[in-house]
Amino acid sequence: MKIAVCVKQVLSREATIRVNDQGTWVRDADAQFEINEPDQYALEEALRLKEQHGGEVIAVSAGPARVTQVLREALARGADRAIHVGDDALVEGDAFVVAAALAEAIRPEGVDLILTGLQSDDQGFGQVGVVMAERLGMPHATIIMDVSLADGQVRVKRELEGGWFQWVTLPLPTLLTIQSGINQLRYATLKGIMAAKKKEIRAVRAEGRASEQRIARLYVPEKSKQTRVLEGSAAEIAKELVQALREARVI
Amino acid sequence: MSALEVWTFRLLVVVALALFSVQMATRLRLVAAGAQNLRWDRFPERFRQFLVDVVFQARVIRAKPWVGSAHLLVFWGFVAFAGFTAVESLRGLGLLDLTETHWFRSYRVALAPFAVAVLAGILFLLVRRGLFRPPALGQTVSKESILIGVLIATLMVTFLLDLRLEGGAERVNWWVHMLVILAFLVLIPDSKHLHLVLSPVTVFLKSPVLGDVPNLDFEREEVGFETVADLPAKQRLDAFTCVECGRCQEACPAFATGKLLNPKKLILDAQRAMLGGQLDAKLVDVFDDGVLWQCTTCGACENQCPVGIEHVPLIIGSRRGLVSNGEAPDYLGPVFNNLERRGNIWGLTYDQRDKFIASAGVETFDASRHSYLVWLGCAGAFEADYQKSLRALFEILHANGVRFGVLAKERCNGDPAKRTGNEYIFQELATQNAEELRQAGAKKIVTSCPHCLKTLGQDYRRFGLDAEVVHSAVLVSELTSHVHLAKDDEVTFHDPCYLGRYAGHTAEPRALLHRVGAEVKEPVRNRDNPFCCGAGGGLLFEEHESGKRISQERLDQLQATGARRVVTACPFCSIMLKGAQASTQSSTEMVDLISYVNDKLRGEGRGAGG
Ligand code: SF4
Ligand code: SF4
């Protein structure tokens, strides 16, 4: 069982966020980063599957040199090796570009299973996984709550709306996007950290590809206050109030 | 003495010495095979503890004055008799006869009262052990102890008879005396009376700091104790020194509330494993199931042990071995991840701390304007009740003209990681915090959390922080020495382990309470031997405590004083005791020391009404 897990490096929740000069993304030169939370669950699930069925877990991350930090974290928690898909432009790349870069890096590995987090904590497109599956010609399933492997097939539990679940069986190889909270995350151990120092992070270059989508403007939500005094008889005021609330989309 | 006698004695001495040496060698070799962690630094402090605990037997006597005094008599008797035994042995070996010298005759006469004292002491101990069977000593009467006791009594009786007897009877008496001594020599190494030989060394080698757990050295790939073979020299020496007195067991809050953990058994299990050649056995298998995670690191065992055994480094060392392999209990996993990713045990983001600082109007520390840095700790950042206590501290400091500030950003001091054996996270946090405190130029740090006090004040020395760290109870008691309010309230005070036992600050909180008009009704287990609240060592996060809850037991003890208010001085003691109180629906009021003092000083609030 060869499993690839895609992990993204996102801004830390502790970081003070500042918009960059072009107003297109956050200023990340002095920011703090961490591993995307849903990806932590994907990694944990991969490690558990490996513990049950044997095999290998490969952590893959796309982005500038700093993303090796999350790869080290994945290695410390038990991934066997890592691939760094290096390209500074990927920071502002759209889901399609990132998915393409990851897919090309994973393709030669011939993996049985690819796990990603359901979505990223920063952009939250929820697209990279499914686009990758499409490019690699694999089936995929999203919002996964449970994974079990048997007879060369994978049976998963998907979360639907309104408390409903769906059970699906897929052939291998396949791609799953994992929902947060599916398992209990392990912590980094000293032995794991020591072992991680000796594990390989292979760097591959991403093919330069232009994004189709681009962020036009990034800004801090603007708060504004408006006061309007309604006048007239009670009935008129009530009518006007309902009208105003409708306009403000409160009701 | 006839030639036959001399030769017989020589033969017996050789046999006894050989048997003694073989048994001793086994043990000393085991000690020497452990990683070297015997430390001789801080000589004056070590010499002091040797004097107090060995020569004057202070720790033996303190907890049990009667038994301790009896033991002191026996100990001093042994020392006094050393010369006598040496002279008689030399004579028996036919090497040198000093028995007819003038000084020996006087020495012998001077020994007589010692002999009577030892006899009285040992008879008292024998009767206590044989008839009353204190539970701490185990369920069955140890035959070995009775035998040793009888031997000691025989030595004294024969000595006293020797003063009177003449001729043949004197010879028989002499032989009985010397044979008993030789038998003693043979029996010592394989019995708890080995402490006669080892305890002076063990006491000297014990760290002068209670619960002192040195850093792991990552460069040397240290990961903690996994197998028996990983136990370093001091922990091995400890295991052989144990005199099985059970004082640690009696003091242990986990044992007292029906858990499997028994610090005495822990030490004896390590001893048994070593002597049984199980060096490759995993410690977690050598010890009883789960006991390593039942310890609150309250330090009571170590603090009570009369022979210098350090339980806390053994327990934390063994936890490290498990944590390094990912084998910590489930409830600690999220705590470790929170500490690693968010820098605090609750996994919250620090904007709550920012809001608190802003609403309390506290400035960011600036060494040129502030004399104290107030360390909030994670409870200060997130715990509403504790924030009240901090506001009270801020008010008192303002009122007394003390200029202070706080760090713009803090992380957990790392105590929960350190005491649960997650050294990687502890060192990450400690390195960053110590660096930021140094950069801020803080010379004096005050905290209301006793765990921060111990960690910043002692553990951070190893990270290059040399600022003076004080607990708010100490600082506030210095600032308010002029206050004298009339008595109008009755409270009981729960000494936090890390304040009373670890830091020895028992007088200051009481002085403060007295000063603001509160009479303190002492609970059982107070001052430097408090009964833990149950929070320490990561147990704050354990929801399924076996046996009675430690916090419940402590609350019962505090309520038994009859006081309506329980005052304490630690955010975690507060959380635990409030938790226990919530489940009993008692009307006892819990209040933090500094909040209480401030209310009284301002002459308002609930505290003032009495
Ligand atoms: S430190 Fe406290 S809880 Fe732990 S074994 Fe010793 S007495 Fe018991
Ligand atoms: S460890 Fe110390 S206190 Fe405990 S039984 Fe042994 S000698 Fe006594």
Side-chain angles (χ1 to χ4, degrees), chain A residues 14 34 73 77 187 191, chain B residues 226 325 337 340-342:
Chain A
E14 290 296 323
E34 61 185 28
E73 267 185 56
R77 279 176 166 74
Y187 59 92
K191 285 210 170 160
Chain B
E226 299 174 75
N325 283 295
N337 278 323
E340 190 188 0
R341 302 204 190 284
R342 302 274 164 259

Side-chain angles (χ1 to χ4, degrees), chain B residues 262-505:
Chain B
N262 177 351
K264 166 177 164 178
K265 183 152 188 298
L266 214 60
I267 301 295
L268 295 176
D269 283 343
Q271 186 198 87
R272 184 180 36 79
M274 275 191 284
L275 288 177
Q278 296 165 264
L279 289 175
D280 294 331
K282 283 192 173 174
L283 283 167
V284 68
D285 300 329
V286 165
F287 300 136
D288 290 333
D289 220 18
V291 293
L292 286 172
W293 300 105
Q294 292 175 341
C295 169
T296 69
T297 70
C298 74
C301 46
E302 190 170 318
N303 199 40
Q304 290 298 317
C305 181
V307 296
I309 289 170
E310 294 170 89
H311 305 72
V312 177
L314 173 68
I315 293 170
I316 294 182
S318 310
R319 287 180 173 184
R320 284 169 167 177
L322 291 173
V323 171
S324 297
N325 283 295
E327 287 162 26
D330 283 347
Y331 62 85
L332 287 178
V335 180
F336 291 159
N337 278 323
N338 289 341
L339 282 169
E340 190 188 0
R341 302 204 190 284
R342 302 274 164 259
N344 65 75
I345 48 182
W346 289 296
L348 299 167
T349 52
Y350 274 97
D351 43 359
Q352 295 192 35
R353 180 179 185 270
D354 300 342
K355 277 188 204 131
F356 169 63
I357 294 174
S359 78
V362 183
E363 297 176 26
T364 300
F365 180 78
D366 174 353
S368 65
R369 292 186 300 119
H370 298 137
S371 53
Y372 275 94
L373 184 148
V374 181
W375 176 266
L376 303 185
C378 56
F382 306 114
E383 236 271 309
D385 276 350
Y386 184 63
Q387 290 180 343
K388 262 187 229 153
S389 160
L390 285 173
R391 282 178 201 269
L393 176 65
F394 299 156
E395 273 182 38
I396 295 174
L397 294 179
H398 278 309
N400 287 276
V402 177
R403 300 162 77 80
F404 64 92
V406 297
L407 283 185
K409 193 170 160 40
E410 268 180 15
R411 285 164 211 86
C412 169
N413 70 67
D415 167 85
K418 178 98 194 166
R419 320 288 164 217
T420 50
N422 195 323
E423 185 74 0
Y424 154 66
I425 290 179
F426 170 69
Q427 291 198 19
E428 289 275 303
L429 294 168
T431 309
Q432 296 174 35
N433 283 328
E435 179 56 27
E436 277 164 25
L437 286 167
R438 259 205 318 271
Q439 271 178 10
K443 291 275 165 291
K444 292 177 175 177
I445 299 172
V446 56
T447 173
S448 276
C449 170
H451 293 265
C452 294
L453 177 72
K454 158 113 179 141
T455 311
L456 264 57
Q458 279 168 354
D459 296 318
Y460 277 25
R461 302 272 169 253
R462 296 189 172 108
F463 294 85
L465 180 73
D466 53 9
E468 174 192 338
V469 186
V470 294
H471 189 267
S472 56
V474 176
L475 178 61
V476 172
S477 96
E478 276 167 24
L479 293 174
T480 57
S481 56
H482 56 280
V483 174
H484 268 294
L485 302 184
K487 187 196 148 204
D488 66 350
D489 197 7
E490 223 175 49
V491 301
T492 184
F493 182 68
H494 166 69
D495 292 271
C497 295
Y498 279 67
L499 187 67
R501 184 178 292 114
Y502 277 94
H505 293 310

Side-chain angles (χ1 to χ4, degrees), chain A residues 4-56:
Chain A
V5 184
C6 302
V7 287
K8 182 174 186 180
Q9 190 187 42
V10 295
L11 279 180
S12 159
R13 269 182 237 174
E14 290 296 323
T16 331
I17 294 175
R18 275 169 294 219
V19 176
N20 68 6
D21 296 338
Q22 301 82 21
T24 53
W25 191 231
V26 291
R27 216 166 78 190
D28 63 9
D30 50 359
Q32 292 158 272
F33 297 93
E34 61 185 28
I35 187 166
N36 180 42
E37 190 178 311
D39 298 348
Q40 294 174 28
Y41 290 94
L43 173 67
E44 179 65 43
E45 200 55 30
L47 295 172
R48 286 177 186 222
L49 288 171
K50 178 188 131 177
E51 278 159 9
Q52 281 167 28
H53 304 280
E56 189 187 30

